[in-house]
Amino acid sequence: MVRPCSSCCSIARSGGSIRGRSPQSFFAPPKLILPSVPRSFPHRNSTGPIHSHSLICCPYQSFPRANHQLLVGDDNTPLATPRSSDAQRRTIYALSTPPGKGGVAVIRVSGPDACKVWKAVTRPIHVSTVDKAPISRLAELRHVVDPLTGEKLDDGPKSFTTEDVIELQVHSGRAVLSSILQALSKLPYCRPAQPGEFTRRAFEGGRLDLTQVEGLRDLIDAETNTQRRVAVSSAAGAQKVRFDALRAQILDCLMYVEGFIDFGEDVDELGQERMYEQACARAQNIIDCIHSHLSDNRRGEILRSGIKLVIFGPPNAGKSSLFNFLAQRDAAIISPIPGTTRDILSLTLDIGGLPVILNDTAGIRSTTDDVIEGIGVQRAGDVVQTSDVSICVLSLDEILPKIAEGEVKFTIPDDIIGHLKPDTIFLLNKSDLARESTHELREALKNALLQHDLESTRHFWSISLRSGEGTKEFLDGLASVLQERYAYTESMSLDDSPLVTQARHRDYLESALRHLEEFKSYPLSQVDIAAESLRYAARAIGAVSGSDVSTEEVLGAIFSSFCVGK
């Protein structure tokens, strides 16, 4: 899905009615727009400023229309209207820039209702601002929102680099772009931008901190709605506020200890011990807070990079069939010959709005004379152990022996037992070959797990990939499981949302944790040395947002991941 990459809108209104205009008047030459609040975001992989970071709305003066109003509720929330025919819907929209990841995208809307679109999908930056009608050929900074829910879809600063900026909106032909870039190179005071240099100037100018820079990069790379929400929150400064608050707590504790060092001699020995205990109690509260963020099962990092979901099981259980079913294409070879899949097959999916890296593996069995298959089995075991979520696929016709005295029993292969986890998801395939009820199968699976001293799993489905029986329930259930473990929603409170979204965040928090533990280990007689540990802890937290970062290698690694135009 292509989403707008800007929250800035400019309006280009026609000079008269659409009727009676000459054909030549529709073909305007390239425009030089000098926004009142300038920005510069060329498209990814370009070598200079090409497209404006704005949503260009070009409404012509509309003639009277009937039954085409944007309805709003009592709270002024836009409501959906009945779908009109294509002939009635004269207002059109499209992506004007090449699709894909990039620093800039331009979405063009044109037609008699373009101003209504502008009012429906954009909001003023400041709530108190009176929402006036758009002014022709004047760029305006606005939020891009969902017209029904009001959810903010994209965010952007004012002048991105904090410097004077011009943006050239021109036709995107190769010859046109080449000639304009060549013309810019002739100016003795201009040079091509380095990768991420626009963003780095925004950081150095105080427009963004490092968590916002990373949020902006994640917003460009976002492929699912959940990734977009987390990235928008970070780019807007939500992480910065939380890390600054954590650092402020450490500085308050340091200030308390420094006061004790300077004026502790005015307090008796019992009072000194009480004050130092209070300082240690404050440090312990901060330690507990950091521990809670570090023990989140890497939820924020997984949401950002993708959930590693692995399909495993014995040969011919239907693993590759499930892989193709989820991929909705023939991504893996399927055959009745055991050992067909010999290596790890991977693809990226969107399941329930979450990014999922799906892996198909070789059938796990200990007895095989094929050396290559043996290597595949070893790799399958390794990837199962390092996965975030694992699905064990078992074939009912293989694990269900003959029923004795009406009791249903499972026989789980010994080769599979060692790869099961407490949260493993079980999928019983080929339900069309079994007559047992879902309840009977669940009880049989529970008993089979108890025989191996394993906890029973609450995530279990019985399906037939051949007939499609139970597949819808499985998809809905799998999405619910992933959302329960990793989902981030707009209704989630700030304290419950993931704070750690990058590996370096975790490194700095662990460093701060060590220094806080060191502070608590010092006796009262070494309080001056203990205070130094608090300074190091505050410095580690400050390095997350960039307030205490001076290492060029760290900054270079972050900004070099951007494209040239960003």
Side-chain angles (χ1 to χ4, degrees), residues 410-476:
F410 276 173
T411 303
I412 301 179
D414 294 335
D415 298 332
I416 302 298
I417 295 297
H419 300 285
L420 299 179
K421 301 178 182 179
D423 57 355
T424 295
I425 297 173
F426 281 89
L427 189 66
L428 305 183
N429 188 26
K430 304 181 183 179
S431 61
D432 53 324
L433 302 179
R435 298 180 180 179
E436 291 72 27
S437 66
T438 301
H439 175 72
E440 290 176 322
L441 295 177
R442 183 183 296 277
E443 290 299 318
L445 177 61
K446 178 181 177 180
N447 295 331
L449 292 174
L450 290 176
Q451 289 179 1
H452 297 278
D453 296 326
L454 297 175
E455 297 181 4
S456 61
T457 178
R458 58 193 178 101
H459 301 307
F460 147 87
W461 288 274
S462 174
I463 70 172
S464 172
L465 290 169
R466 173 172 294 181
S467 67
E469 176 187 349
T471 53
K472 183 181 184 303
E473 292 77 5
F474 164 68
L475 282 177
D476 294 341

Side-chain angles (χ1 to χ4, degrees), residues 25-39:
S25 63
F26 285 94
F27 299 93
K31 300 170 292 181
L32 172 62
I33 293 183
L34 299 176
S36 57
V37 186
R39 311 173 65 174

Side-chain angles (χ1 to χ4, degrees), residues 293-308:
H293 292 307
L294 293 177
S295 59
D296 64 347
N297 294 322
R298 296 173 51 250
R299 185 162 60 106
E301 295 154 279
I302 290 173
L303 283 176
R304 175 180 165 271
S305 60
I307 303 169
K308 296 179 181 178

Side-chain angles (χ1 to χ4, degrees), residues 77-78 120 123 145-153 228-229 490:
T77 302
R123 296 288 184 273
V145 301
D146 186 291
L148 297 182
T149 65
E151 176 191 355
K152 184 167 61 175
L153 302 179
R228 178 192 60 80
R229 286 179 174 177
E490 288 290 313

Side-chain angles (χ1 to χ4, degrees), residues 323-324 326-327 329 331 345-349 356-360:
F323 187 79
N324 290 343
L326 294 175
R329 62 184 177 89
L345 302 179
S346 300
L347 55 82
T348 303
L349 299 176
V356 175
I357 303 173
L358 183 65
N359 295 278
D360 185 21

